[in-house]
Amino acid sequence: MRIKQLSLQNFRSYLNVTINFTSKTTTFIGDNGAGKTNIVEAIIYLAFLSSHRVSQNQPLILLGNQQAIIRAEIEKENRTLQIDLEVNANKANRARINQNPTRSQKEILGACQVVHFSPEDLDLVRGDPGTRRDFLDRLLITRSPRLAGVSADYERVIKQRNVLLKTRAAQSALVPWNEQLVVLASNLTAERIALCEALNPWATQNYSNLNETKLMKLDYKSSTEGLSNNPNLNIEIYKKQIQDLQYQEIERGTTLFGPHRDDLLIQLGDFPAKGYASHGESWSVAISLRLGAFDLLRNEGSDPILILDDVFAELDTTRRLQLMAATQKAEQTIITAAVEGDLPEGLETERFYVTPGVVSLKKRGL
Amino acid sequence: MSGMYEGAIQDLIDALGRLPGIGPKSAQRIAFHILQSDAEIAGALVDAIRTVKERVKFCTECGNVSEEMQCRICRDPRRENTSICVVEESKDVIAIERTREFRGKYHVLGGAISPIDGIGPEQLRIRELMTRLADSSVTEIILATDPNLEGEATATYLARLIKPLGLKVSRLASGLPVGGDLEYADEVTLGRAFEGRRTVNE
């Protein structure tokens, strides 16, 4: 899969820009704040229908406008697909595929698949469980777009249910939400556990490729005991959990179990990576998670675009080489860097120079 | 965007902009259309709005919009009293009426349960529904709430509430659109259609 052309209108710092990707690897070079990450953010938005930086749409839209447009020509198995996405501030986004309107923007999920690295990936190791859940969920959506709906519905049910718990509503008012909660939670948990099982060998392999000696292992840590990758079995477990927690939940006024309280446990040897891993080890773990995801997707027959957003400056030679090896496998790699010298030696790439609002093939002033 | 025109025209744009589905640009277009059209046409619009607020009430029995105490459907002696179809809004009544498949009566809830929006069973016309069900002639309830999270929750709530009365309760099927292609159905719809499949060789 590759992006042939990307056009942005009123997106972040760009009033209007069109970028033609002609090479296997494309690099955007520019000072901090020039707008490099805005370009990859647009591609990431197409892939997940949400930004990796903000949860609202308004910051994505150029100041003073209500709408941004992301347009991409994507080549997949020798066929070209044109995706148009209107990102709206105050109403639902609208998408078109090959000029044809879609009923829901979710229909474009799967058209553009990406695996992206960014300096914030360190949070996958050190950050809150939410960062790791988000990592899993985004990978789930890439593998199976249907789950975007399951995850969104789940979050909404939790919100509705929490309002009831907070206002100490009667048990009979909770029942209709409990039924939907159990089904959605069972589904989402089963999918996440199955994903962890599938991802684990690939992450472990990548970690050892980085000359690390410890054994990296992934485990899905749920707030509920005994869950598995079988949604039907999970339903019974969650039903019992609702019963057991009934009084505690009313007392605390919030939902006390479910995939929104789970975590991805990363073990290094006998210790959890969080709290124990050194700075270097943390980077190795983060890279192994992303490269593991990349290898898993490729092994399952997809061909995701690899995005390396401002990461080379952070990494030593071994880790750079590991990422370089991945770029050889990818059909398309998109890189951003603040300084040209940070790019690994021998990297064959077309170069774009980014200044605020402008993307150019020439360096400014030359 | 706001405050670009003075006085009356801006008031009109603001008032139109508060209507559902009308953004600032559409509001501006409609306002200027009204300004440029004949006084008669504008007057008719004003009258229509005033009349609708004066005359239209809600049916005391089913909650549907009506110009009299009872709506057209509740007054119609040919409609069966044995079944009630429960819907969220009056516009859902019209949608089902267009099918001409249903000969019973309706009950309009006035929305769906949504705690986030402060809408619980008490805010809907559920007590009125239970009063109607106490009337022994009703034998079947059809729950026709929207097939989304809130609609499903409302249907589940009603199903449990009605259960002790021993009535037949059914829920509208959700699944594939008629005349559509299987390949174009999204996974959720197709999954639901699979769940609700029926046997054909019995």
Side-chain angles (χ1 to χ4, degrees), chain B residues 18-33:
Chain B
R18 278 194 283 274
L19 301 177
I22 297 182
K25 288 236 174 84
S26 302
Q28 185 176 313
R29 206 166 85 218
I30 297 168
F32 276 95
H33 177 84

Side-chain angles (χ1 to χ4, degrees), chain A residues 103 144-146 152-153 156-157 159-161 163-164 172-173 175-177 179-180 184, chain B residues 113-117 121 148-150 152-154 156-157 160 184-189:
Chain A
R103 275 192 304 135
S144 158
R146 172 184 72 91
D153 279 357
R156 188 155 173 90
V157 167
K159 260 191 208 156
Q160 295 276 25
R161 193 171 181 269
V163 172
L164 289 175
S172 64
V175 169
W177 302 105
E179 284 187 18
Q180 300 193 69
L184 293 165
Chain B
I113 296 175
S114 177
I116 297 176
D117 305 308
N148 54 27
L149 291 175
E150 288 74 19
E152 292 291 344
T154 311
T156 313
Y157 179 84
R160 290 177 65 93
Y184 292 126
D186 65 283
E187 286 176 70
V188 178
T189 308

Side-chain angles (χ1 to χ4, degrees), chain B residues 168-182:
Chain B
K168 182 181 170 195
V169 181
S170 53
R171 174 96 178 94
L172 283 198
S174 56
L176 297 171
V178 176
D181 284 322
L182 210 59

Side-chain angles (χ1 to χ4, degrees), chain A residues 121-122 124-126 206-208 210-216 266-289 314-316 319:
Chain A
D121 282 354
L122 219 44
L124 289 173
V125 185
R126 300 178 164 181
N206 274 293
Y207 192 72
S208 69
L210 287 165
N211 296 333
E212 295 283 0
T213 49
K214 291 174 189 155
L215 178 72
M216 173 179 165
I266 307 163
Q267 290 275 127
L268 290 183
D270 297 330
F271 295 99
K274 186 172 182 176
Y276 287 87
S278 68
H279 186 76
E281 281 174 332
S282 296
W283 262 117
S284 293
V285 167
I287 291 173
S288 306
L289 284 174
E314 306 261 355
L315 303 179
D316 61 19
R319 297 185 176 98

Side-chain angles (χ1 to χ4, degrees), chain B residues 116-127:
Chain B
I116 297 176
D117 305 308
I119 299 171
E122 311 77 39
Q123 278 72 40
L124 303 174
R125 299 184 71 257
I126 290 177
R127 205 180 313 110

Side-chain angles (χ1 to χ4, degrees), chain A residues 83-103:
Chain A
I83 306 288
D84 294 45
L85 182 66
E86 280 178 13
V87 180
N88 290 315
N90 299 316
K91 53 179 184 180
N93 290 353
R94 280 199 305 191
R96 288 194 295 175
I97 300 177
N98 288 339
Q99 316 276 4
N100 295 315
T102 56
R103 275 192 304 135

Side-chain angles (χ1 to χ4, degrees), chain B:
Chain B
M1 285 296 282
S2 61
M4 288 198 295
Y5 301 95
E6 38 188 275
I9 187 75
Q10 189 61 41
D11 291 345
L12 181 59
I13 292 172
D14 290 346
L16 289 169
R18 278 194 283 274
L19 301 177
I22 297 182
K25 288 236 174 84
S26 302
Q28 185 176 313
R29 206 166 85 218
I30 297 168
F32 276 95
H33 177 84
I34 292 173
L35 194 63
Q36 280 157 8
S37 56
D38 292 342
E40 257 171 68
I41 295 172
L45 179 64
V46 172
D47 288 343
I49 293 174
R50 185 173 295 126
T51 321
V52 86
K53 284 305 285 180
E54 280 168 5
R55 269 214 237 135
V56 178
K57 309 180 208 33
F58 295 93
C59 170
T60 49
E61 186 151 358
C62 71
N64 194 7
V65 288
S66 167
E67 294 208 359
E68 298 177 31
M69 286 286 280
Q70 283 198 325
C71 73
R72 200 162 33 85
I73 296 167
C74 288
R75 286 199 312 264
D76 189 343
R78 290 165 300 177
R79 306 289 299 213
E80 294 156 9
N81 279 319
T82 49
S83 54
I84 291 182
C85 178
V86 182
V87 296
E88 292 183 15
E89 309 282 355
S90 290
K91 55 184 194 284
D92 302 330
V93 171
I94 306 300
I96 296 175
E97 277 300 285
R98 273 202 298 265
T99 69
R100 297 169 188 272
E101 288 291 327
F102 181 63
R103 296 298 305 156
K105 294 188 170 174
Y106 292 93
H107 192 86
V108 181
L109 293 173
I113 296 175
S114 177
I116 297 176
D117 305 308
I119 299 171
E122 311 77 39
Q123 278 72 40
L124 303 174
R125 299 184 71 257
I126 290 177
R127 205 180 313 110
E128 289 88 337
L129 176 65
M130 297 313 281
T131 315
R132 281 180 83 184
L133 296 186
D135 169 8
S136 57
S137 62
V138 179
T139 56
E140 186 185 1
I141 301 290
I142 300 156
L143 300 174
T145 49
D146 290 347
N148 54 27
L149 291 175
E150 288 74 19
E152 292 291 344
T154 311
T156 313
Y157 179 84
L158 288 175
R160 290 177 65 93
L161 202 62
I162 298 167
K163 204 177 170 193
L165 304 179
L167 304 174
K168 182 181 170 195
V169 181
S170 53
R171 174 96 178 94
L172 283 198
S174 56
L176 297 171
V178 176
D181 284 322
L182 210 59
E183 57 178 306
Y184 292 126
D186 65 283
E187 286 176 70
V188 178
T189 308
L190 200 49
R192 279 214 188 177
F194 241 96
E195 250 172 27
R197 67 186 181 276
R198 58 196 166 89
T199 319
V200 289
N201 60 355
E202 269 174 9

